Amino acid sequence: MARIAVIGAGMGAMAAAARLAVAGHRVAVYERTRTYGGALRRFERDGFSFDTGPGLLPLPAVWRDLFVKTGKEPLESCVELVQVDPSSRHVFADGTEVSLPNASRAGVVASLDAALGSAAGQRWGDFLVRARETWDRTRRPLLEEPLWPNWRMLAEREPYPAVPHKRLLRTRRAGTLAEIGAWELRDPRLAALLESHALAYGLDPRTAPANAAVLPYMEYAFGMWYVRGGGLRELARAVYERCLARRVEFHFDTEVTGIVEKDGRVAGVELSEGSVAEAEFVVAGVAPGVLDRLCGGPAVRGDGEVPAQRGAASRVTVLLALRGGRPEGAAHRTVVHTPDREAELEALFGSAPGPAARPTVTVLRPDDPALVPDAAHEAVTLTAMVPAGGGTDAGDRAERLVDAAERAVPGLRDRLLWHEVRTPAHVAADTGAADGAVPVPALAGAGGRLLHPANGTRTGGLFTVGGWSHPGGGLPHAGMSGALVAGLIVEGPEFRGSQ
């Protein structure tokens, strides 16, 4: 039985802590803030409650596996996990609208045919077939195994398949997500639908590798889920309580100020109060810059290693308290697409990033009585991507998001009681990531720039977990990182992932 110190109480860190405790180790978590959950936070006011981080959960099997492996009580006994249907509603620049059913390829194809024309659904369906092939090729090395020592094989190969073109009598391989939209989907609305999945993770579709096709595939194959009874913050609570049940110790308002090494191996962590907590292993669920500071130098980088990721994008979120109840049949999630795609992408990822005049906005309208004081009110969340470190002009950005959201929720301003704006500065405060940057999921190809550093480090006994390490950002990926780190500690370097 080893003593293990976990730095941070984010979702990946707690996933690792629970698994390690079940394996018989003594696990203590040190969290600099007053609560757990990382980006999964909650804002409450006047009887209203809002998720301030992710609002929907893809690939819930990752968290189901955690609960199966750490106790007899399954996830569904701890939270009410429900599929949202439709999965999403889209309002395109030309005013066209379409609602896409959850986890139904045939239903999605039929809906797109009805809304965009008879060929649209077929083209999207064919794309999903290729996206599935990409998923099958990359799922295990990118998500279920520790990062390969010869990771450059992943960096150099684009796993998205080439597409035959009858007229050209040859095949053509898309290199980016934008090229898939232009060459294969051939409809600006389908391209906007595709690219919105990348944009939601802070990826530029013009440079995101074609295998980012796995992002929409995960949604259409496994569905999108919500935790009724308080939102995704309730998932964080359930994981926290599972940790407590497995005798994980939590120390909140306790900042780790350094990692103690002895003979090239970790020996513990230094705490802000001046004491040292001894440990045979340390699991760091923090952003790369924070870890470098704790180690007194680069912790995960070196010649031949995957460089630590630095996020380029963050989020602005506007929480709306509305008078009047949620209309029956309202979509849980509506994506209102920008009328000027190039201007938005240039504002986010160009040489002089700044606020997009007319951003793509995601509108979340959960059907959850736990979020409102009574049935005569509604809690709505608006989200848009912004450059990391941006968002100081909170009032102006809130106005832009509300303007866009009125295309999805007519009369929104007339119902408004109050609003709260969450900027990248809030994200930074919750997660510790510089400028409030949001980590992206690991993707193959692209020279390895979208891979994340391995969970092991150059210091013996020091491991990294969470969105800034392999396999990258997003709730499913965070949970997978916890499983990988626990496996590496329990089974050693020979661990090759779950079967």
Side-chain angles (χ1 to χ4, degrees):
M1 180 176 68
R3 292 170 298 181
I4 300 177
V6 178
I7 307 173
M11 294 298 286
M14 290 197 295
R19 291 177 182 270
L20 290 167
V22 166
H25 298 293
R26 292 172 53 193
V27 183
V29 177
Y30 301 92
E31 167 59 45
R32 63 181 179 84
T33 70
R34 296 183 178 182
T35 189
Y36 53 83
L40 290 187
R41 300 296 175 102
R42 174 181 287 154
F43 180 86
E44 296 177 311
R45 174 181 163 186
D46 300 340
F48 290 88
S49 181
F50 304 86
D51 279 325
T52 60
L56 289 171
L57 176 66
L59 207 58
V62 173
W63 298 99
R64 290 185 178 122
D65 180 72
L66 172 70
F67 276 73
V68 168
K69 300 290 176 57
T70 59
K72 297 179 180 179
E73 198 174 21
L75 175 60
E76 274 82 357
S77 295
C78 303
V79 297
E80 185 183 355
L81 196 61
V82 296
Q83 277 190 308
V84 299
D85 201 10
S87 172
S88 59
R89 170 185 170 222
H90 290 262
V91 179
F92 296 108
D94 66 354
T96 307
E97 298 187 16
V98 62
S99 292
L100 303 177
N102 203 337
S104 171
R105 178 180 176 274
V108 167
V109 167
S111 295
L112 289 172
D113 277 344
L116 308 185
S118 59
Q122 183 63 50
R123 289 198 297 272
W124 185 260
D126 291 344
F127 157 72
L128 288 180
V129 172
R130 293 186 288 275
R132 177 178 180 174
E133 184 176 340
T134 308
W135 168 261
D136 290 340
R137 291 175 177 177
T138 61
R139 173 181 58 84
R140 188 157 182 82
L142 283 181
L143 301 179
E144 297 177 354
E145 296 179 344
L147 187 67
W148 294 350
N150 57 341
W151 59 268
R152 291 191 185 278
M153 292 179 61
L154 296 173
E156 294 166 359
R157 294 179 180 176
E158 172 49 67
Y160 186 80
V163 179
H165 289 262
K166 295 181 181 179
R167 293 181 181 177
L168 301 178
L169 299 178
R170 63 181 176 85
T171 60
R172 178 165 58 179
R173 185 183 299 276
T176 67
L177 212 61
E179 288 176 347
I180 293 176
W183 297 353
E184 300 173 21
L185 299 180
R186 304 192 305 279
D187 184 311
R189 296 163 299 184
L190 287 180
L193 171 60
L194 171 65
E195 294 178 1
S196 67
H197 291 275
L199 194 63
Y201 285 97
L203 290 168
D204 183 348
R206 301 170 301 182
T207 60
N211 68 94
V214 298
L215 301 177
Y217 173 76
M218 283 196 301
E219 176 171 329
Y220 294 106
F222 308 113
M224 293 296 283
W225 300 74
Y226 175 74
V227 180
R228 195 186 302 276
L232 263 64
R233 174 63 179 178
E234 287 299 293
L235 176 63
R237 175 197 56 76
V239 175
Y240 170 66
E241 291 181 353
R242 176 55 54 90
C243 287
L244 292 179
R246 299 299 168 260
R247 299 185 179 181
V248 175
E249 298 177 7
F250 282 83
H251 303 269
F252 295 108
D253 286 323
T254 303
E255 185 173 5
V256 172
T257 56
I259 293 175
V260 180
E261 296 184 28
K262 184 177 181 180
D263 299 326
R265 185 176 177 84
V266 295
V269 294
E270 298 175 352
L271 306 178
S272 54
E273 62 190 31
S275 63
V276 172
E278 296 181 351
E280 285 79 36
F281 295 93
V282 174
V283 176
V286 297
V290 176
L291 184 59
D292 290 349
R293 186 176 71 248
L294 297 179
C295 291
V300 298
R301 299 192 300 279
D303 292 340
E305 295 177 1
V306 177
Q309 293 289 322
R310 294 290 189 267
S314 185
R315 296 187 179 97
V316 163
T317 303
V318 183
L319 314 176
L320 303 176
L322 304 181
R323 62 173 64 87
R326 180 181 185 273
E328 185 175 354
H332 186 117
R333 175 179 55 161
T334 299
V335 179
V336 182
H337 294 267
T338 177
D340 193 339
R341 167 186 173 275
E342 286 301 326
E344 178 180 41
L345 295 181
E346 190 62 26
L348 283 172
F349 306 109
S351 57
R358 292 178 290 181
T360 295
V361 176
T362 299
V363 183
L364 295 182
R365 307 179 72 182
D367 182 12
D368 190 348
L371 304 184
V372 291
D374 52 52
H377 295 86
E378 184 179 9
V380 173
T381 302
L382 313 179
T383 305
M385 301 306 296
V386 296
T392 54
D393 53 342
D396 181 50
R397 295 204 178 191
E399 289 297 313
R400 295 177 187 179
L401 266 62
V402 171
D403 285 344
E406 283 203 294
R407 293 172 57 198
V409 189
L412 179 63
R413 288 186 183 277
D414 294 336
R415 298 174 58 198
L416 185 61
L417 293 171
W418 52 263
H419 74 273
E420 180 79 16
V421 183
R422 306 279 297 183
T423 69
H426 293 94
V427 178
D430 290 344
T431 67
D435 297 324
V438 177
V440 302
L443 295 171
R449 63 181 175 83
L450 293 176
L451 295 175
H452 290 260
N455 305 101
T457 70
R458 59 177 60 183
T459 302
L462 174 62
F463 296 86
T464 64
V465 73
W468 295 102
S469 61
H470 180 73
L475 274 175
H477 300 71
M480 292 172 185
S481 75
L484 292 174
V485 167
L488 289 167
I489 291 175
V490 173
E491 299 186 25
E494 66 278 7
F495 175 70
R496 290 296 177 264
S498 58
Q499 299 298 323

